[in-house]
């Protein structure tokens, strides 16, 4: 029996990409997984598939920008499975553009989902974990949390913020609650589909020529979770082996 079996894991942004791959992997490894996302039709299809394979899986509609919805899915996980072991704050958006394009609504959306969404996950999960005396947050950032590139200033700023919030949380919570930052490099996902700026879209096509599957990040998340309770994996950066010319 692994250290995954029986753990109750809430995953945001679970309808595609890293969230979906993580839900599948952890459910197959014996975790009780609660998926959250806005596209509930995708969650329903995934839940049905995994349940047919003998997995313990549930889902709830979730917009991470709404604190009450984040609190609701945490409460649902507790009531259904009796505890809360892990919150994977994965939901994110990436509509890249140059600052001069003044896509202010897209900037605000990134701030709301990528930063406020993570804070809401912490706000909903932390009191529960403190009361239990155990738990783990896994926040998904990006290599953009370490360097800035053209058209990605606002996106990178949000991921720098996730990195700072995660490290601050780790320092504040002490030894009972584990805190992990996972920063993916170029990964197969739908993130780039939200780019409306033509320049940024073309740059991203070149940038994403060599990417790793979402399952690689799912395995990284699993690695952090399955460590013994006295081991806290703080920060993991995962990139494709192949480098762009």
């Amino acid at each position: 029996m692994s250290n995954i079996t029986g753990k109750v894991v809430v995953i945001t942004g679970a309808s595609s990409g890293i969230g979906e791959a993580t839900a599948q992997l952890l459910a197959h490894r014996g975790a009780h997984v609660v998926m959250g996302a806005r596209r509930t039709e995708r969650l329903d299809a995934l839940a049905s598939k995994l349940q047919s394979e003998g997995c313990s899986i549930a889902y709830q509609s979730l917009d991470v920008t709404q604190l009450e919805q984040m609190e609701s899915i945490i409460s649902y996980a507790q009531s259904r499975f009796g505890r809360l072991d892990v919150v994977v704050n994965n939901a994110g958006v990436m509509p890249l553009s140059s600052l001069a394009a003044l896509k202010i609504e897209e900037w605000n959306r990134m701030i709301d989902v990528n930063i406020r969404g993570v804070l809401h996950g912490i706000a909903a999960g932390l009191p529960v974990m403190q009361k239990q005396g155990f738990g783990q947050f896994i926040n998904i950032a990006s290599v953009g949390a370490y360097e800035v590139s053209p058209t990605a200033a606002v996106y990178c700023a949000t991921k720098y913020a996730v990195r700072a919030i995660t490290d601050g949380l780790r320092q504040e919570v002490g030894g009972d609650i584990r805190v992990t930052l996972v920063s993916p490099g170029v990964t197969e996902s739908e993130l780039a589909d939200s780019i409306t700026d033509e320049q940024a879209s073309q740059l991203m096509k070149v940038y994403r020529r060599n990417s790793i599957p979402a399952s690689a990040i799912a395995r990284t998340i699993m690695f952090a979770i399955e460590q013994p309770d006295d081991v806290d994996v703080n920060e993991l950066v995962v990139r494709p082996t192949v480098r762009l010319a």
Side-chain angles (χ1 to χ4, degrees), residues 10-25:
V10 173
I11 304 172
T12 73
S15 61
S16 65
I18 292 169
E20 178 184 10
T22 302
Q24 293 190 72
L25 179 61

Side-chain angles (χ1 to χ4, degrees), residues 20-240:
E20 178 184 10
T22 302
Q24 293 190 72
L25 179 61
L26 296 183
H28 280 129
R29 293 301 178 96
H32 304 294
V33 176
V34 179
M35 305 181 293
R38 291 178 300 155
R39 296 179 293 184
T40 53
E41 71 285 354
R42 291 197 177 194
L43 297 181
D44 185 68
L46 180 57
S48 296
K49 173 180 177 291
L50 291 172
Q51 286 165 357
S52 72
E53 295 166 352
C55 298
S56 177
I57 190 87
Y59 72 89
Q60 188 165 296
S61 176
L62 175 65
D63 179 348
V64 296
T65 69
Q66 304 300 311
L67 176 59
E68 64 275 11
Q69 292 190 28
M70 195 70 226
E71 291 173 333
S72 177
I73 197 171
I74 295 296
S75 178
Y76 174 62
Q78 282 185 283
S79 63
R80 176 145 183 173
F81 297 114
R83 56 192 279 171
L84 175 68
D85 292 282
V86 185
V87 174
V88 181
N89 285 310
N90 166 72
V93 293
M94 191 184 68
L96 304 183
S97 63
S98 66
L99 291 171
L102 298 179
K103 292 183 177 286
I104 296 169
E105 289 186 6
E106 294 183 355
W107 299 349
N108 288 336
R109 181 65 179 162
M110 281 188 280
I111 291 167
D112 285 344
V113 175
N114 298 358
I115 302 177
R116 189 171 286 114
V118 170
L119 289 170
H120 286 169
I122 294 168
L126 185 56
V128 176
M129 293 182 187
Q130 288 176 321
K131 185 175 180 179
Q132 293 176 160
F134 62 87
Q136 183 175 18
F137 288 98
I138 299 181
N139 297 334
I140 308 303
S142 164
V143 291
Y146 304 87
E147 58 186 16
V148 181
S149 56
T151 75
V154 178
Y155 176 74
C156 291
T158 66
K159 294 304 183 177
Y160 269 80
V162 171
R163 183 181 170 200
I165 290 164
T166 304
D167 195 46
L169 178 64
R170 177 189 62 79
Q171 294 179 52
E172 290 178 10
V173 294
D176 295 329
I177 298 170
R178 301 190 295 172
V179 181
T180 301
L181 182 75
V182 175
S183 295
V186 188
T187 304
E188 295 171 2
S189 75
E190 296 178 356
L191 273 179
D193 295 348
S194 63
I195 299 175
T196 62
D197 183 87
E198 184 60 30
Q199 177 193 10
S201 179
Q202 292 303 315
L203 287 172
M204 187 51 57
K205 287 179 181 177
V206 175
Y207 186 67
R208 296 175 75 86
R209 283 191 315 225
N210 298 295
S211 60
I212 53 178
S215 58
I217 309 303
R219 292 193 301 272
T220 303
I221 292 168
M222 184 180 71
F223 169 78
I225 295 173
E226 69 184 355
Q227 298 309 303
D229 291 342
D230 60 348
V231 176
D232 190 6
V233 178
N234 299 147
E235 196 164 342
L236 291 161
V237 179
V238 185
R239 293 183 172 93

